[in-house]
């Protein structure tokens, strides 16, 4: 048999994936809301597998959509100096936030600020790869 290649079917398949993802996340959010009524501390914690599944799903969606949205935006690439300044700014803001919330652990606050800055800067560098070169 000959394989059927139809763009409409591919688009419908993508729509089906989107609907399945939305339904799955809606169920996860409803379960988290139900758990938060019972015990807020237990519902939103790293030990809760439902919370972890929700975070992994949304982070995967946001990372996979970066290359599409960066191409659609049609903006020039950011310079390395601007990316470095974003890194420093995010590091300072993240570290200050953790220093205010956990004042007795300054090194941990600096480590958390560094991790946040590295992750966000990595996403910005990845997004920058898909922007067009401004000559």
């Amino acid at each position: 048999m000959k394989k059927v290649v139809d763009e409409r079917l591919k688009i419908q398949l993508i729509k089906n994936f989107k609907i399945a993802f939305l339904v799955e996340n809606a169920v996860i959010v409803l379960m988290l809301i139900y758990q938060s009524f019972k015990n807020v501390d237990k519902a939103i914690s790293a030990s809760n597998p439902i919370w972890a599944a929700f975070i992994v799903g949304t982070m995967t969606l946001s990372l996979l959509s970066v290359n599409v949205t960066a191409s659609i935006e049609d903006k020039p690439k950011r310079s390395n100096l601007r990316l470095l300044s974003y890194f420093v700014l995010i590091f300072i803001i993240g570290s200050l936030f953790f220093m205010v919330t956990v004042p007795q652990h300054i090194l941990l606050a600096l480590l958390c600020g560094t991790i946040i800055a590295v992750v966000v800067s990595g996403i910005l560098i990845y997004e920058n790869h898909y922007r067009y070169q401004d000559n």
Side-chain angles (χ1 to χ4, degrees):
M1 289 177 68
K2 187 176 175 183
K3 185 177 177 182
V4 176
V5 179
D6 188 5
E7 292 297 321
R8 293 175 294 172
L9 294 176
K10 289 180 182 179
I11 292 172
Q12 184 62 41
L13 181 65
I14 291 171
K15 286 181 183 178
N16 291 346
F17 280 127
K18 286 181 185 178
I19 292 170
F21 183 76
L22 288 173
V23 169
E24 176 184 3
N25 277 333
V27 169
I28 289 174
V29 167
L30 289 174
M31 291 172 75
L32 286 172
I33 290 171
Y34 174 74
Q35 285 181 353
S36 66
F37 281 128
K38 294 173 92 175
N39 188 357
V40 175
D41 296 334
K42 188 178 176 184
I44 302 177
S45 69
S47 62
N48 188 355
I50 297 172
W51 178 253
F54 180 69
I55 294 298
V56 167
T58 54
M59 289 304 295
T60 304
L61 177 66
S62 63
L63 288 174
L64 290 175
S65 66
V66 164
N67 61 356
V68 175
T69 56
S71 300
I72 291 172
E73 285 179 347
D74 196 32
K75 293 182 180 176
K77 287 190 175 193
R78 294 183 179 108
S79 67
N80 290 337
L81 181 63
R82 177 167 278 193
L83 290 172
L84 181 65
S85 64
Y86 286 156
F87 174 82
V88 170
L89 182 69
I90 294 167
F91 168 74
I92 291 170
I93 291 172
S95 296
L96 286 175
F97 172 76
F98 283 105
M99 283 180 193
V100 169
T101 57
V102 189
Q104 60 269 33
H105 300 290
I106 301 298
L107 289 177
L108 181 64
L110 292 173
L111 178 68
C112 290
T114 304
I115 290 171
I116 291 171
V118 166
V119 168
V120 171
S121 296
I123 293 171
L124 289 175
I125 291 169
Y126 178 68
E127 177 194 44
N128 204 35
H129 174 71
Y130 289 100
R131 291 177 174 227
Y132 73 88
Q133 185 69 36
D134 190 26
N135 293 329

